[in-house]
């Protein structure tokens, strides 16, 4: 698995209504290609989203007047994510939910690592994501797509 996009609460229909299906797919493919095996992912992610047009809008702020920002925003859809730990799911969903509740976004895309400890008793990551998002309802009630990435180990310089 390179990456897998899982939709909740009709997020896929919102993306389709906005004619963004291919845009989202190409963006996730480009993010995967840019970050696979890389060590310094933060700046590469910012550059990839900028090149795909997700950072041109002035609506990156989660809360007006604060420094909290989404990774990207386009046509009412915000992107957030973190590739170091799956557990970012809670913070990422909460950040997106704030924008949804304030009427700033119509749907969110959360990018996460699919990698977890081999000792994890929770089964595969896709099943865990589905269970986590379902169990967070009604606190997290927005349409959201979660993209799980398997970026591999960073290529360390010798």
């Amino acid at each position: 698995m390179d990456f897998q996009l899982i939709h909740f609460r009709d997020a896929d229909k919102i993306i389709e209504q906005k004619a963004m299906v291919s845009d989202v797919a190409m963006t996730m493919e480009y993010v995967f290609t840019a970050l696979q095996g890389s060590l310094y992912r933060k700046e590469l992610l910012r550059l990839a989203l900028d090149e795909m047009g997700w950072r041109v809008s002035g609506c990156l702020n989660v809360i007006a007047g604060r420094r909290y920002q989404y990774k990207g925003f386009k046509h009412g859809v915000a992107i957030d994510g973190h590739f170091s730990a799956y557990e970012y799911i809670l913070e990422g969903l909460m950040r997106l939910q704030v924008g949804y509740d304030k009427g700033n976004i119509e749907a969110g895309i959360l990018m996460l690592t699919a990698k977890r400890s081999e000792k994890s008793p929770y089964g595969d990551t896709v099943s865990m994501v589905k269970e986590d998002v379902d169990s967070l309802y009604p606190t997290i009630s927005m349409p959201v797509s979660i993209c799980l990435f398997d970026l591999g180990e960073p290529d360390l310089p010798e």
Side-chain angles (χ1 to χ4, degrees), residues 27-44:
T27 298
M28 295 304 119
E29 181 68 39
Y30 188 51
V31 166
F32 173 77
T33 302
L35 300 184
Q36 183 182 24
S38 65
L39 183 58
Y40 303 107
R41 295 179 173 153
K42 184 177 181 178
E43 187 58 34
L44 291 173

Side-chain angles (χ1 to χ4, degrees), residues 102-158:
K102 291 185 169 290
N104 297 334
I105 67 172
E106 296 175 50
I109 300 171
L110 182 60
M111 301 178 296
L112 295 170
T113 181
K115 185 178 178 184
R116 296 189 356 264
S117 168
E118 293 188 20
K119 297 178 183 178
S120 175
Y122 298 112
D124 69 300
T125 308
V126 173
S127 299
M128 196 162 107
V129 164
K130 291 177 180 178
E131 185 178 319
D132 285 351
V133 173
D134 288 343
S135 66
L136 289 170
Y137 183 84
T139 304
I140 304 297
S141 60
M142 68 175 175
V144 65
S145 299
I146 296 185
C147 193
L148 296 173
F149 287 86
D150 184 359
L151 298 172
E153 293 297 319
D155 295 332
L156 299 173
E158 295 180 22

Side-chain angles (χ1 to χ4, degrees), residues 1 16-17 32 35 41 45-46 51-52 61 69 71 73 78-79 81 83 95 100 109 120 122 125-126 136 141 154-155:
M1 169 181 84
E16 188 175 325
Q17 287 171 354
F32 173 77
L35 300 184
R41 295 179 173 153
L45 175 62
R46 187 176 295 131
E51 287 180 19
M52 295 301 292
N61 285 359
Q69 290 191 331
K71 304 287 190 244
F73 178 86
I79 292 181
F83 298 107
R95 290 164 62 103
Y100 180 76
I109 300 171
S120 175
Y122 298 112
T125 308
V126 173
L136 289 170
S141 60
D155 295 332

